[in-house]
C-alpha cells in the first residue's frame, strides 16, 4: 500500500472544501445578475445541484468517471465502484498515490457538482424546476461522467492521447458552456416586459460577492489539482491569481474603451473568464504565460458577449461566452504555452518545440464541443416528452421565486 | 446479503427522484402574507 502523506491529504481535503464553496458562490454570482423576482430560484439551482450531484456521485457518478475502463475503449468507467464499493482509505496510485482514495473522490465530487450548476445560468428565469432537476441528473450521468473519464479517468481516450487539462478546461468549462448554449436555444428566449420592469442585474454587490467567492474557491480548484502540498500547487496558485487579475484588468479596459465606463459587472466577468481560461493550463505554464492567457481570454470573451445579441440565443448569463469560449481559449493556449519546466508530468507546447501538443488540444476541444452539444440536445428533446421544460408565460411574468418556490427574496 | 447498504441507498435516492416527477405544485402564494398572487399588469412580449 502506498504511504499516505499528511500534508498532501490536508491540502486536497481543504481544496475540496474550497471548491465546494464555489457552487453557492456561483449561486450568488448568478443570483445578482437576474431580476429580483428570480433571484431565489437562481440561487436554488446551484444549491440544489450541490445536493443532487453529491449523492449521484457517490452512488454511480464516480464509478462511471473514474472506475475501471469498460473494454479498454476509453469511453466510460464500469460500475464496479458503485456506492463507493472498494473506494476507501488506501490510495489509488492511478490517480493520487499519497492521499486516501476517498480524499481524491471527495475532491472530484466538487468538480462534478459545479459543472451542471454552471449551465443553469443559460436557462435562468424560465426553466421549470422539475425539468431542471431531471435534466441535471441526466446531464451529469450522460455528459459529465463520460467526458471526465475521457480526460482524467485511467484509460480515458483523450488522456491516453496526451490531452492536457490540469483542472477542467474541457471537462468542466467547455462541456458546461457548450451545453448552456444548446439549452438556451432549445428553451427559447425569456419574455421581456413592456411595463417598465427593470431588466438585467438586480444586485451587483451580490455579483461581486459571488465572483469573489468563486475566485477564492478557484485556488482549491486549480492548486488543489496538483493533488499534493508541493511546488506544482504553488505554480498553479500563482497562475490562477495572475490570470484572473489580468483578465479583469483587460475586460475593464476594453469595456471602458467600448462603452465609456469601467464596468463593475465587467470586472467580475473578466475575472471569471481569466479563471476559466487558466484552469486547463494552471499546472503547465509559467506566470508570464498566465498573463498572456488572461489578456487573450478577456478579448475573446468580450467579443463573443457582444455577438450574443446577433445570434438570437438567449444565454441569459453568458455561460457559453465565458465558460465555453473561455475554456476553449484556455485549452488551445495550453497547447502553445505548456512547458515541462513547470510540470515534468505534462508536456511541451508549440512554443517549446512540440507542435503536436496543439493538435491534441484541438482534438480534445472539438470532441468535447461535439459530444456536449449533441447529448444536451438529445436529453432536452427526450425530456420534453415527459415534462414541460419552461414555466408558463404567466408564471414567467410573475417570477420563478413565487411560482416555483412560493417564496420571495426581499420583503422591502 | 452483500451490499445491502448500497441497494437501500439506491432505492432511497430513486424514490426521491420519482417523487419529484409526480408531486403536485401548490397554488402560488406570496410567502410574507400567504395571499394569492395575481398576474402583474402590463403587456408582455417574447424577446
Amino acid at each position: 500500500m502506498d504511504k499516505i502523506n499528511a500534508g498532501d491529504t490536508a491540502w486536497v481535503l481543504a481544496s475540496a472544501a474550497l471548491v465546494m464553496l464555489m457552487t453557492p458562490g456561483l449561486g450568488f454570482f448568478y443570483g445578482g445578475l437576474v431580476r429580483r423576482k428570480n433571484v431565489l430560484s437562481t440561487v436554488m439551482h446551484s444549491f440544489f445541484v450541490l445536493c443532487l450531484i453529491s449523492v449521484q456521485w457517490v452512488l454511480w457518478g464516480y464509478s462511471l468517471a473514474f472506475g475501471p475502463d469498460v473494454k479498454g475503449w476509453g469511453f466510460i468507467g464500469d460500475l464496479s465502484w458503485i456506492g463507493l464499493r472498494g473506494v476507501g482509505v488506501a490510495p489509488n496510485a492511478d490517480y493520487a498515490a499519497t492521499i486516501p482514495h476517498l480524499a481524491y473522490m471527495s475532491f472530484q465530487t466538487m468538480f462534478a457538482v459545479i459543472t451542471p450548476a454552471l449551465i443553469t445560468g443559460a436557462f435562468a428565469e424560465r426553466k421549470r424546476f422539475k425539468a431542471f432537476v431531471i435534466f441535471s441528473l441526466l446531464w451529469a450521468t450522460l455528459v459529465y461522467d463520460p467526458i471526465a473519464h475521457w480526460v482524467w479517468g485511467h484509460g480515458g481516450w483523450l488522456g491516453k492521447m496526451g490531452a492536457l487539462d490540469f483542472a477542467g478546461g474541457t471537462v468542466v468549462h467547455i462541456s458546461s458552456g457548450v451545453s448552456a448554449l444548446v439549452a438556451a436555444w432549445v428553451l427559447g428566449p425569456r419574455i421581456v416586459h413592456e411595463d417598465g420592469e427593470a431588466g438585467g442585474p438586480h444586485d451587483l454587490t451580490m455579483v461581486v460577492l459571488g465572483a469573489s467567492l468563486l475566485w477564492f474557491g478557484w485556488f482549491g480548484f486549480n492548486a488543489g489539482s496538483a493533488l499534493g502540498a508541493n511546488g506544482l500547487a504553488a505554480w498553479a496558485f500563482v497562475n490562477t491569481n495572475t490570470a484572473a487579475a489580468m483578465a479583469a484588468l483587460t475586460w475593464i479596459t476594453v469595456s471602458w474603451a467600448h462603452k465609456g465606463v469601467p464596468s463593475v459587472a465587467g470586472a467580475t466577468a473578466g475575472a471569471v473568464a481569466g479563471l476559466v481560461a487558466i484552469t486547463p493550463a494552471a499546472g503547465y505554464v509559467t506566470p508570464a504565460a498566465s498573463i498572456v492567457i488572461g489578456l487573450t481570454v478577456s478579448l475573446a470573451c468580450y467579443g463573443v458577449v457582444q455577438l450574443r445579441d446577433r445570434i438570437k440565443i438567449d444565454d441569459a448569463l453568458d455561460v457559453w461566452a465565458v465558460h465555453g469560449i473561455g475554456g476553449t481559449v484556455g485549452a488551445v493556449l495550453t497547447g502553445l504555452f505548456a512547458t515541462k519546466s513547470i510540470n515534468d508530468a505534462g508536456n511541451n507546447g508549440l512554443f517549446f518545440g512540440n507542435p503536436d501538443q496543439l493538435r491534441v488540444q484541438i482534438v480534445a476541444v472539438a470532441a468535447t464541443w461535439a459530444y456536449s452539444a449533441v447529448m444536451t440536445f438529445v436529453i432536452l428533446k427526450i425530456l420534453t416528452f415527459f415534462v414541460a421544460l419552461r414555466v408558463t408565460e404567466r408564471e414567467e411574468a410573475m417570477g420563478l421565486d413565487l411560482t416555483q418556490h412560493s417564496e420571495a427574496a426581499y420583503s422591502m | 446479503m452483500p451490499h445491502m447498504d448500497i441497494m437501500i441507498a439506491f432505492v432511497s435516492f430513486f424514490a426521491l427522484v420519482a417523487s419529484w416527477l409526480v408531486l403536485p405544485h401548490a397554488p402560488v402564494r406570496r410567502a410574507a402574507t400567504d395571499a394569492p398572487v395575481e398576474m402583474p399588469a402590463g403587456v408582455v412580449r417574447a424577446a
Side-chain angles (χ1 to χ4, degrees), chain A residues 37 193 195 394 397-399, chain B residues 37-44:
Chain A
K37 65 184 180 183
H193 289 260
D195 60 354
R394 176 177 182 274
M398 292 164 58
Chain B
V37 176
E38 297 304 320
M39 176 85 164
V43 179
V44 293

Side-chain angles (χ1 to χ4, degrees), chain A residues 119-142:
Chain A
I119 304 171
T120 65
F123 51 65
E125 303 194 293
R126 61 198 188 282
K127 192 165 189 178
R128 184 175 297 282
F129 186 74
K130 188 176 287 189
F132 146 74
V133 168
I134 304 303
F135 169 77
S136 297
L137 192 59
L138 290 174
W139 191 89
T141 302
L142 300 175

Side-chain angles (χ1 to χ4, degrees), chain A residues 85 130 190 192 194-195 403, chain B residues 3 20-21 25 41 43 45:
Chain A
R85 199 174 55 177
K130 188 176 287 189
R190 289 166 290 176
V192 175
E194 290 182 340
D195 60 354
T403 61
Chain B
H3 310 304
W20 299 332
L21 288 172
H25 210 84
V43 179
R45 64 173 170 78

Side-chain angles (χ1 to χ4, degrees), chain A residues 372-385:
Chain A
S372 303
V374 171
M375 287 303 294
T376 301
F377 181 79
V378 170
I379 290 170
L380 287 170
K381 283 300 177 187
I382 291 175
L383 259 185
T384 57
F385 291 112

Side-chain angles (χ1 to χ4, degrees), chain A residues 100-403:
Chain A
H101 194 180
L102 279 170
Y104 180 78
M105 187 283 301
S106 297
F107 184 59
Q108 289 298 335
T109 304
M110 305 311 167
F111 287 70
V113 162
I114 197 169
T115 309
L118 291 168
I119 304 171
T120 65
F123 51 65
E125 303 194 293
R126 61 198 188 282
K127 192 165 189 178
R128 184 175 297 282
F129 186 74
K130 188 176 287 189
F132 146 74
V133 168
I134 304 303
F135 169 77
S136 297
L137 192 59
L138 290 174
W139 191 89
T141 302
L142 300 175
V143 181
Y144 181 82
D145 295 347
I147 293 177
H149 186 78
W150 298 358
V151 180
W152 292 332
H154 187 61
W157 73 274
L158 284 175
K160 281 195 293 192
M161 188 188 288
L164 297 179
D165 187 356
F166 192 70
T170 50
V171 177
V172 174
H173 296 292
I174 294 178
S175 69
S176 61
V178 171
S179 298
L181 184 70
V182 173
W185 176 54
V186 172
L187 259 73
R190 289 166 290 176
I191 290 171
V192 175
H193 289 260
E194 290 182 340
D195 60 354
E197 178 193 42
H202 88 284
D203 186 351
L204 273 178
T205 61
M206 206 169 151
V207 175
V208 175
L209 169 67
S212 303
L213 286 172
L214 283 170
W215 192 331
F216 178 69
W218 228 294
F219 292 125
F221 206 90
N222 288 358
S225 290
L227 300 173
N230 52 34
L232 184 59
W235 281 119
F237 194 108
V238 171
N239 287 335
T240 300
N241 197 59
T242 307
M246 185 65 184
L249 294 174
T250 304
W251 197 297
I252 292 167
T253 307
V254 173
S255 70
W256 198 342
H258 182 206
K259 296 183 175 171
V261 289
S263 160
V264 177
T268 61
V272 172
L275 290 163
V276 168
I278 200 61
T279 294
Y284 301 118
V285 304
T286 63
S290 73
I291 291 176
V292 179
I293 290 172
L295 173 84
T296 308
V297 74
S298 241
L299 294 174
C301 292
Y302 187 88
V304 172
V305 167
Q306 308 314 310
L307 285 175
R308 189 191 61 166
D309 291 340
R310 294 191 188 177
I311 62 173
K312 303 291 183 192
I313 296 177
D314 187 16
D315 174 7
L317 308 181
D318 289 322
V319 183
W320 173 67
V322 174
H323 295 273
I325 300 300
T328 299
V329 168
V332 171
L333 291 185
T334 302
L336 300 180
F337 289 106
T339 167
K340 293 181 86 166
S341 68
I342 298 296
N343 184 350
D344 196 45
N347 211 336
N348 289 321
L350 175 67
F351 293 160
F352 294 89
N354 179 23
D356 192 57
Q357 189 60 45
L358 182 60
R359 178 192 65 81
V360 172
Q361 295 301 108
I362 291 172
V363 169
V365 167
T368 308
W369 269 74
Y371 184 78
S372 303
V374 171
M375 287 303 294
T376 301
F377 181 79
V378 170
I379 290 170
L380 287 170
K381 283 300 177 187
I382 291 175
L383 259 185
T384 57
F385 291 112
F386 300 99
V387 60
L389 296 181
R390 284 185 75 128
V391 296
T392 64
E393 191 170 299
R394 176 177 182 274
E395 290 171 328
E396 188 173 340
M398 292 164 58
L400 272 60
D401 292 2
L402 282 174
T403 61

Side-chain angles (χ1 to χ4, degrees), chain A residues 63-81 95 149-150 153-157 160:
Chain A
S63 191
L64 291 178
F66 291 93
D69 192 75
V70 173
K71 297 184 183 296
W73 294 342
F75 183 77
I76 192 80
D78 67 17
L79 292 174
S80 57
W81 292 354
Y95 296 121
H149 186 78
W150 298 358
H154 187 61
W157 73 274
K160 281 195 293 192

